[in-house]
Amino acid sequence: MKIIVTGGAGFIGSAVVRHIIEATHDEVLVIDKLTYAGNLESLASVSSNERYSFRQIDICAPTALATVFQDFQPDAVMHLAAESHVDRSIVGPAAFIETNIVGTYVLLEATRDYWSQLTSSAKESFRFHHISTDEVFGDLHGTESLFTETTPYAPSSPYSASKASSDHLVRAWMRTFGLPTIVTNCSNNYGPYHFPEKLIPLVILNALEGKPLPVYGNGCQIRDWLYVEDHARALYTVVTEGEPGETYNIGGHNERKNIDVVKTICRLLDEIISDKPMQIDRFEELITYVTDRPGHDLRYAIDASKIERELGWTPAETFESGIRKTVEWYLANESWWQRVKDGSYSRERLGLNS
Ligand SMILES: NC(=O)c1ccc[n+]([C@@H]2O[C@H](COP(=O)([O-])OP(=O)(O)OC[C@H]3O[C@@H](n4cnc5c(N)ncnc54)[C@H](O)[C@@H]3O)[C@@H](O)[C@H]2O)c1
């Protein structure tokens, strides 16, 4: 297959691209605008492979997209490009509306234009796979219920509302125009190459520097954590074996309170690091409760039984194995995250592009 991966320089997109290049014979073209969240250094391990190529393109730019489709002639699009950080969507929602809603619309139209010119068998086998989030369902109260594929949408933040809008567009393009689309909604991911503004890498890196470990509110918000490489495998399974018109929820059966996630990381660091960064005995002493995020969702939890039953995917990592791998990865890959923290990963790129 020839697959376009939008947002392939981001956290999950780069895991998808590494998976496709390392575990399959497929060809990948990454299209990515390279916002602050895009980092080509996350693709260094595959960038010299002849089945990999990259184009710096904004998904809101129809002409550039049309050229890419005609040149590359894809069999599938995996659409991950998005603004993805809830806190940023509260401070500045405009970029979320532009990329997540308008960008998805422009990409759908570019895809439809290309797809409509294919032969009927190529049209039938073509896939547009939209990667979305469980945050479109809002939040759960109580400890029992789970998000299923039929849970009504009730997004809380500008981020989740923009993702919900894009999910609706994708489904409408199948119903109205026949474009073979599939939507996946996944829970919180964690793992290597995660941008250090998100909870898990932020806590690991702040702890290493002896800085406060910020926890929103009382820290009792529950998230359902999935190791990013398990997600990448699930996404490849869906794009190759999923049914057009279907939605698949993806999750790791790993519900944890935020405060417990932070304490787990602290305990792992206590175990691994003998030289503490400052006058502390245990990393937990750095935990600092901060004012809660407005509209903060209480609990997310995914019922992933459909993808397990119908496509045979199951997560390989438990939270305990995945979080250990993640902490060890950050300890072993300081050069990657130092260049993110000091900005050199994007400054050098801007210099190259000017
Ligand atoms: N991170 C999670 O826990 C999670 C969970 C479920 C679903 N998702 C979804 O998965 C997708 C990827 O998430 P992520 O965490 O890897 O995000 P990310 O922020 O790490 O990466 C997003 C990528 O999209 C690129 N991008 C942004 N705007 C663009 C534009 N206009 N044109 C082209 N490229 C653009 C960025 O440069 C970046 O490389 C998103 O759609 C997100 O909603 C994420």
Side-chain angles (χ1 to χ4, degrees), residues 64-138:
L65 286 178
T67 306
V68 157
F69 273 92
Q70 286 311 323
D71 290 351
F72 188 66
Q73 299 280 313
D75 303 302
V77 172
M78 298 177 81
H79 176 35
L80 295 101
E83 289 292 337
S84 71
H85 190 43
V86 175
D87 289 345
R88 286 180 188 254
S89 83
I90 295 168
V91 176
F96 289 72
I97 305 305
E98 187 63 19
T99 285
N100 298 1
I101 306 178
V102 179
T104 298
Y105 156 72
V106 172
L107 181 67
L108 279 166
E109 281 295 78
T111 308
R112 181 164 76 94
D113 191 40
Y114 161 78
W115 170 80
S116 65
Q117 298 163 35
L118 297 175
T119 61
S120 56
S121 69
K123 260 183 169 168
E124 205 178 309
S125 60
F126 187 86
R127 295 288 178 268
F128 184 99
H129 176 183
H130 178 61
I131 285 76
S132 191
T133 165
D134 63 352
E135 299 191 30
V136 297
F137 301 123

Side-chain angles (χ1 to χ4, degrees), residues 5-15 30-40 54-61 65 79-85 95 98-100 103-104 130-135 159 162-163 166 184-190 193-195 197-198 224-226 228 231 235 250 349:
V5 178
T6 75
F11 167 49
I12 301 171
S14 67
V30 169
I31 62 178
D32 198 297
K33 181 181 173 182
L34 297 181
T35 67
Y36 80 95
N39 187 350
L40 290 177
F54 170 78
R55 297 283 300 275
Q56 185 170 0
I57 286 175
D58 186 335
I59 56 163
C60 301
L65 286 178
H79 176 35
L80 295 101
E83 289 292 337
S84 71
H85 190 43
E98 187 63 19
T99 285
N100 298 1
T104 298
H130 178 61
I131 285 76
S132 191
T133 165
D134 63 352
E135 299 191 30
Y159 164 66
S162 68
K163 291 297 292 187
S166 64
T184 51
N185 296 91
C186 186
S187 57
N188 283 51
N189 282 218
Y190 69 102
Y193 301 101
H194 207 178
F195 197 83
E197 67 186 351
K198 303 280 172 83
D224 183 355
W225 293 95
L226 180 66
V228 67
H231 190 196
L235 295 179
I250 307 173
R349 182 167 84 203

Side-chain angles (χ1 to χ4, degrees), residues 143-155:
T143 54
E144 294 306 315
S145 50
L146 300 170
F147 296 133
T148 71
E149 285 78 5
T150 55
T151 300
Y153 276 30

